[in-house]
Amino acid sequence: MLQQTQVATVVPFYERWMAKFPDVASLARANEADVLHAWQGLGYYSRARNLRRAAQMIAAEHSFQFPSRLEEILALPGVGRYTAGAVATFAFGQSTPIVDANIARVLARLLDLQTPIDSRSGHDMLWQTAADLQPKTEARLFNSALMELGALVCIPRTPRCDICPVAEFCQASQPELLPRKKPRRATVELAENCAFVFSKGQILLEQQMQTRWRGLWKLPVLSSAPDSEPLLRLDYPFTNHRVRLSVFRLAPERAGLNQQWFALRALENVPMPSPHRRALLHLSRPSSPESCAGL
């Protein structure tokens, strides 16, 4: 949950998630819709699907016991090099390198690394250095100390070099400029045109089958914008994109492929992308001039 998401945002989601899925068995048994609904609002839904698949693999191949070998942890869906190393080190005490944002900053400054750390060569250099520095014992303590050094002393923009315990080994002459990263990609503007189809207290929704938002329900997609003013416009970010969601009222029709009618009172339990839920909340608000109540 903490991948690309801040701690303050994650905490309430984590607490609700653990109440609903307290162990591997309950998550492995859950259907995908329930898992996506519990994740709703965190974004990057592939993380939720991978968690469920990982739980199913642990149940089927490891008798519900989380594997301890690094190779087996890496084989779990959605688990990358950092996550596998962190679990191996902190849960099982193994001497395994890890490189998170804090450790990357510390190592880049120690090396005076001018190569962008998000490039392949920069990434490989950081991981190799982390591996070279790994002690044979007390790796859990060592990796934890590196993370804390980056979080409390070797901080972004204004590193506290005067109190740094490894300052004598640091090669950076301008540590505040490190680590370097590749230039940000330009923001791409996208238009998303969708239909608002309401009849007899029900809303027509469409289940997504593509990778992005797969399994979630959203307002039906329109191939082009109608020649009319939209009921609602809202913007939302998606990776390096800025999406303009425009919602147009359409006359009731039969549900098409991957479409289904949902009662307004049932929408709370339907897994939906946050932008589309916000749009529906606005359109179903009694005070809204476009409200369902007025249709």
Side-chain angles (χ1 to χ4, degrees), residues 35 196 244:
V35 171
F196 177 75
R244 166 64 59 92

Side-chain angles (χ1 to χ4, degrees), residues 75-105:
L76 296 174
V79 175
R81 192 174 183 181
Y82 166 72
T83 300
V87 172
T89 289
F90 296 124
F92 300 109
Q94 297 177 21
S95 183
T96 305
I98 59 174
V99 179
D100 70 345
N102 287 320
I103 292 178
R105 186 166 55 254

Side-chain angles (χ1 to χ4, degrees), residues 119-173:
S119 67
R120 171 50 60 186
S121 58
H123 174 273
D124 290 346
M125 192 173 298
L126 289 179
W127 276 93
Q128 185 58 56
T129 302
D132 292 342
L133 292 174
Q134 279 293 295
K136 293 182 179 180
T137 61
E138 300 292 347
R140 180 191 290 119
L141 182 61
F142 176 79
N143 286 325
S144 181
L146 269 184
M147 296 173 77
E148 290 299 292
L149 181 61
L152 302 176
V153 179
C154 197
I155 57 179
R157 293 179 293 279
T158 55
R160 305 172 68 188
C161 301
D162 56 319
I163 62 168
C164 180
V166 295
E168 63 181 295
F169 304 107
C170 186
Q171 300 179 48
S173 57

Side-chain angles (χ1 to χ4, degrees), residues 151-206:
L152 302 176
V153 179
C154 197
I155 57 179
R157 293 179 293 279
T158 55
R160 305 172 68 188
C161 301
D162 56 319
I163 62 168
C164 180
V166 295
E168 63 181 295
F169 304 107
C170 186
Q171 300 179 48
S173 57
Q174 294 180 294
E176 68 279 2
L177 300 182
L178 297 174
R180 298 189 183 279
K181 291 187 177 181
K182 293 186 293 186
R184 278 190 171 186
R185 290 185 293 172
T187 300
V188 178
E189 302 287 341
L190 293 178
E192 183 180 11
N193 299 308
C194 293
F196 177 75
V197 186
F198 180 78
S199 178
K200 299 177 182 178
Q202 292 187 316
I203 296 285
L204 185 66
L205 297 179
E206 183 175 88

